[in-house]
């Protein structure tokens, strides 16, 4: 299995991967929603505000992950990990964690200081994320599950409180994602 940055020619295969994987795990409407989200992320986000990676095996994409910029009033380089998917029949053999570690290593090389995500703490705690209070860093929208607001510091420093609101990239500007 190989992990690399996605290419424009991968877009439709990536959209299909997310649609199918999330349909399998959470039903068709969630699959369609997340498939559209990744397409919008790839089409509407400026090149400095997105990192996307694919895991391939025998030339087929079996997993994918996206990181997009999260801006605060404070001048901190921060990104949001979301979404990530591993094809249903390839789950549970380390592909998801490998994609996350690979992406985080690339972000570190670019000088990114904080990575946030919004998801299952049981899974993301395996790859270094910890619960963060909105008193420390506000999410861009009201969270339906505040216990899923997670963060990790990439420079080994304590996470200092970030004042003011946060802003996500355009494709995430829908309350239903939060
Ligand atoms: C979540 C997902 C990306 C993980 O990828 P993966 O390749 O299956 O995960 P890995 O094999 O690297 O890691 C497996 C570990 O994570 C745990 N894990 C996997 N999915 C989990 C979930 N949804 N909740 C809690 N733990 C989970 C497994 O129990 C396993 O733990 P172990 O190593 O202690 O046994 C994948 O299962 C997936 O695509 N799920 C459907 C879409 C989704 O929920 N995406 C995440 C939200 S954006």
């Amino acid at each position: 299995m190989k992990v690399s940055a996605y290419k424009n020619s991968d877009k439709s295969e990536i959209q299909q991967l997310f649609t199918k994987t999330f349909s399998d795990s959470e039903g068709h409407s969630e699959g369609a929603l997340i498939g559209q989200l990744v397409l919008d992320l790839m089409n509407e986000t400026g090149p400095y505000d997105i990192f996307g990676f694919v895991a391939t095996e025998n030339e087929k994409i079996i997993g994918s992950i996206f990181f997009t910029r999260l801006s605060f009033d404070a001048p901190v380089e921060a990104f949001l990990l979301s979404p990530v998917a591993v094809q249903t029949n390839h789950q549970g053999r380390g592909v998801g964690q490998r994609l996350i570690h690979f992406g985080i290593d690339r972000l570190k090389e670019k000088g990114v200081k904080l990575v946030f995500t919004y998801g299952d703490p049981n899974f993301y705690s395996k790859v270094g994320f910890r619960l963060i209070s909105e008193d420390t860093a506000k999410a861009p929208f009201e969270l339906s599950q505040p216990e899923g607001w997670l963060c990790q510091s990439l420079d080994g420093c304590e996470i200092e409180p970030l004042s003011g609101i946060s802003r996500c990239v355009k494709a995430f500007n829908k309350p239903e994602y939060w």
Side-chain angles (χ1 to χ4, degrees), residues 21-22 25 83-86 91-97 120 123-124 126:
T21 305
F22 276 85
S25 67
V84 53
V86 173
Q91 289 175 6
R93 57 179 183 89
V95 179
Q97 293 179 65
D120 187 334
F123 175 62
Y124 288 108
K126 291 180 198 296

Side-chain angles (χ1 to χ4, degrees), residues 19-134:
T19 304
K20 175 78 169 74
T21 305
F22 276 85
S23 294
D24 289 348
S25 67
E26 290 174 47
H28 280 297
S29 62
E30 187 70 8
L33 189 75
I34 304 299
Q36 187 60 48
L37 166 67
V38 289
L39 196 62
D40 293 345
L41 284 172
M42 293 186 283
N43 287 337
E44 297 176 357
T45 311
Y48 297 109
D49 294 339
I50 186 166
F51 293 89
F53 303 100
V54 289
T56 50
E57 209 167 70
N58 302 325
E59 315 282 305
K60 290 250 175 272
I61 296 175
I62 60 162
S64 179
I65 189 166
F66 285 89
F67 298 85
T68 50
R69 191 176 295 280
L70 200 59
S71 309
F72 291 86
D73 292 342
V76 61
E77 284 273 305
F79 274 74
L80 176 73
L81 181 177
S82 180
V84 53
V86 173
Q87 217 172 60
T88 312
N89 57 340
H90 289 277
Q91 289 175 6
R93 57 179 183 89
V95 179
Q97 293 179 65
R98 197 153 147 213
L99 277 165
I100 294 170
H101 287 304
F102 185 92
I104 283 177
D105 286 348
R106 298 291 87 71
L107 295 179
K108 269 187 201 166
E109 287 166 10
K110 298 280 177 192
V112 174
K113 302 289 184 234
L114 295 175
V115 185
F116 290 81
T117 195
Y118 183 44
D120 187 334
N122 293 323
F123 175 62
Y124 288 108
S125 62
K126 291 180 198 296
V127 285
F129 287 89
R130 297 286 170 267
L131 179 66
I132 186 166
S133 151
E134 283 208 83

